[in-house]
Amino acid sequence: PPVELQISTAGGEFMVVCDNSLCVSQQQLLNEISARSVVADIPVVISVDDNVAFADVVEVMDICRQGGLKKIAIPANGFR
């Protein structure tokens, strides 16, 4: 199954939930992604709330790439 990321904002800060686990820092997200990258070519599906800045989405995508996951998708209904 794909890695599922949900990006949202609360109190002006963006938050990322990775497979139902809240990542409180970029390093924690990188650790979560890296742990999942042992499975070759596992895809990442990113759901994004409407109020999340595009720069934050790009930052999460960059962290996915750093962690070794390169198949990244945002479904058509990914921006809510």
Side-chain angles (χ1 to χ4, degrees), residues 24-76:
V24 296
S25 68
Q26 291 178 351
Q27 185 60 51
Q28 183 182 2
L29 177 59
L30 180 58
N31 293 344
E32 293 282 341
I33 294 297
S34 296
R36 287 159 173 80
S37 69
V38 296
V39 177
D41 294 331
I42 188 170
V44 178
V45 178
I46 300 175
S47 298
V48 184
D49 286 345
D50 282 340
N51 53 350
V52 174
F54 183 71
D56 294 335
V57 177
V58 171
E59 186 173 335
V60 169
M61 293 172 73
D62 287 343
I63 291 170
C64 289
R65 287 187 201 98
Q66 288 174 16
L69 299 180
K70 304 203 181 328
K71 290 185 176 181
I72 302 169
I74 300 174

